[in-house]
Amino acid sequence: MTTNWAGNITFGAAGFHHPTTLPELQKLVAGSSDLRALGSGHSFNRIADTGGDLVSVARLPSVLDIDSQANTVTVAAGMLYGELARPLHHAGYALGNLGSLPHISVAGACATGTHGSGVANRNLPAAVSAMTFVAADGELVTVSRADDPSAFPGMIVSLGALGIVTTMTLDIVPTFDITQYVFDDMPGESVVGHFDEIMESAYSVSLFTDWTEPRVYQVWVKRRSDDTAPAPPTDDWYGAKAAEVERHPIQSVDPVNTTKQLGVPGPWHERLPHFKLEFTPSSGDELQTEYLVSREHALAALAAVDEIKAEVSAVLQISEVRTIAADDLWLSPSYGRDSVALHFTWIPDIDAVAPVLFRLEERLAPYTARPHWGKQFRTTPDVIAGLYEKLPDFRALMATYDPTRKFANEFIDTYFPA
């Protein structure tokens, strides 16, 4: 892999390693002075890049061990969520949440604070109860929520700065089914007037819009099949009607790669993501940005984006609004607060997009918007430092586990200087 999935980043690594055994990885780490881990390549900035060596753990021996007593599953760090989900479901279990793409690796998604949606659903790394990684000296380190309660919350969303993760243990729940509906053309005034009711109406809810006028939203509603609460009416729900055919978030795109809709029940892993594992969700010709604000500021943040809607829509493919429950992970964008995420899928032209990022961040600054670590943003290091109260504690963890900063790169040095 010489570029990321989107093709906007060409990696500058001197070498690319694919160890097939744990001792081989340990030897590589111990003998390296400059090393970064690369997951599935779905980050849109240089968080994984390095002038040293890149290493992938995707070829290490497969691990998928279910502990039915502890209600956990231990998996290889390089496993994709979609690859984990199917055998987990067949064994009678589920993860509490999934991202919109099943094509992302477990360790990579957790390292960057990636999330799904749902007012009661925390992000993906919040499910991690234990982790094993190769530290800078080549030794294996295992940490857990139970045994390391003070430091553990700082070690999961790690941005790859503490070591090379080999396995992760995730909390699991009994498997469940989801029915998914897409509602067309919900008026913007309905979203403003009934935001909480809409977002709380199902297990997972996403709002899509292109920020043009008149403002309408496409609403994806993912409802547990065992939910006994009244379902949204399909004929008129806050001015929207359930689609009679399958939809893609971008209405002009063929929905062949999207997960099944139209109220057909299916397993959690075939409905919670927006896209199917067996399909590439798009050509990759896009850039992505996301900012998370406290849920109490959701409407104010939407209004702030609306102030520059013409600039946003001019370089936008689609925008998505989701909710995420609070967690205690130090570098999580939803740390300490129930959050709303404003996601933007841009055209693949960073020169055109960059000025809009500055304008967005200016508008969202009053609401302490935290950018997704793995996407395009222009937030300065001093602002980032003010958004994360535990940032100094994370730097102390870096000094403990990587005293020579072999896992650092330009991105890490910018936001976490020595």
Side-chain angles (χ1 to χ4, degrees):
M1 183 185 294
T2 58
T3 71
N4 65 340
W5 170 75
N8 67 301
I9 300 293
T10 298
F11 297 119
F16 196 177
H17 303 271
H18 296 87
T20 58
T21 68
L22 189 54
E24 184 182 354
L25 173 62
Q26 291 178 272
K27 182 179 179 180
L28 172 67
V29 172
S32 174
S33 60
D34 192 350
L35 187 70
R36 289 287 288 175
L38 178 64
S40 57
H42 277 80
S43 291
F44 292 81
N45 58 33
R46 294 196 173 275
I47 191 169
D49 196 21
T50 177
D53 287 346
L54 279 172
V55 59
S56 167
V57 296
R59 296 181 188 173
L60 290 182
S62 179
V63 177
L64 201 164
D65 294 329
I66 296 171
D67 186 334
S68 58
Q69 298 300 312
N71 289 318
T72 61
V73 60
T74 299
V75 301
M79 182 173 286
L80 305 186
Y81 273 96
E83 295 171 340
L84 161 63
R86 287 173 174 172
L88 193 60
H89 168 68
H90 288 310
Y93 294 98
L95 299 174
N97 206 359
L98 287 172
S100 59
L101 291 177
H103 313 75
I104 54 179
S105 68
V106 173
C110 290
T112 54
T114 297
H115 60 88
S117 182
V119 294
N121 299 327
R122 299 183 300 166
N123 64 13
L124 304 186
V128 179
S129 63
M131 175 176 72
T132 298
F133 62 95
V134 180
D137 59 2
E139 295 299 311
L140 274 182
V141 176
T142 298
V143 294
S144 71
R145 187 189 296 150
D147 296 336
D148 308 277
S150 60
F152 190 73
M155 304 184 76
I156 307 306
V157 184
S158 67
L159 314 183
L162 301 181
I164 308 298
V165 179
T166 58
T167 63
M168 304 193 96
T169 300
L170 313 176
D171 298 331
I172 55 177
V173 298
T175 193
F176 57 92
D177 283 352
I178 291 282
T179 55
Q180 179 170 227
Y181 289 92
V182 173
F183 287 81
D184 288 333
D185 299 332
M186 182 173 286
E189 54 267 27
S190 292
V191 171
V192 171
H194 302 279
F195 184 83
D196 287 339
E197 297 97 316
I198 293 165
M199 303 310 284
E200 293 171 3
S201 65
Y203 192 78
S204 172
V205 176
S206 292
L207 310 177
F208 290 95
T209 187
D210 61 6
W211 290 101
T212 58
E213 293 293 347
R215 182 68 37 71
V216 293
Y217 289 84
Q218 185 190 82
V219 187
W220 289 45
V221 178
K222 302 170 189 279
R223 177 181 168 86
R224 281 187 64 132
S225 298
D226 57 3
D227 190 345
T228 58
T234 57
D235 58 338
D236 184 0
W237 186 45
Y238 298 114
K241 292 184 178 180
E244 296 181 356
V245 296
E246 305 242 324
R247 297 293 193 205
H248 188 282
I250 303 173
Q251 293 204 25
S252 61
V253 176
D254 190 322
V256 65
N257 56 13
T258 58
T259 50
K260 188 68 178 175
Q261 303 155 26
L262 305 176
V264 178
W268 57 281
H269 65 283
E270 295 180 1
R271 298 293 183 274
L272 287 177
H274 297 329
F275 299 99
K276 300 171 184 174
L277 177 63
E278 58 267 29
F279 285 90
T280 300
S282 73
S283 64
D285 291 335
E286 63 189 56
L287 300 174
Q288 291 185 13
T289 293
E290 188 171 42
Y291 302 101
L292 280 75
V293 302
S294 175
R295 186 175 162 187
E296 64 181 330
H297 298 314
L299 295 182
L302 291 174
V305 178
D306 193 62
E307 293 173 359
I308 57 170
K309 57 183 178 290
E311 296 166 69
V312 170
S313 62
V315 292
L316 185 72
Q317 296 193 49
I318 198 67
S319 182
E320 181 179 11
V321 180
R322 293 183 284 177
T323 54
I324 308 99
D327 60 67
D328 65 348
L329 307 178
W330 297 354
L331 295 187
S332 165
S334 47
Y335 171 78
R337 65 190 193 190
D338 292 333
S339 300
V340 168
L342 281 65
H343 187 279
F344 303 87
T345 299
W346 310 108
I347 62 173
D349 184 347
I350 190 58
D351 291 335
V353 170
V356 181
L357 297 184
F358 285 113
R359 295 274 281 155
L360 269 175
E361 291 171 5
E362 178 183 63
R363 289 296 187 276
L364 295 175
Y367 314 110
T368 58
R370 296 169 177 161
H372 188 299
W373 290 109
K375 301 184 188 293
Q376 283 284 328
F377 62 90
R378 293 297 182 270
T379 313
T380 59
D382 60 314
V383 172
I384 289 288
L387 296 174
Y388 291 95
E389 63 182 76
K390 301 291 284 186
L391 191 146
D393 299 286
F394 181 76
R395 289 176 63 183
L397 283 180
M398 289 177 60
T400 298
Y401 288 100
D402 185 21
T404 64
R405 297 178 69 89
K406 71 168 58 179
F407 302 122
N409 62 358
E410 182 178 356
F411 185 97
I412 297 298
D413 290 339
T414 297
Y415 294 102
F416 306 89

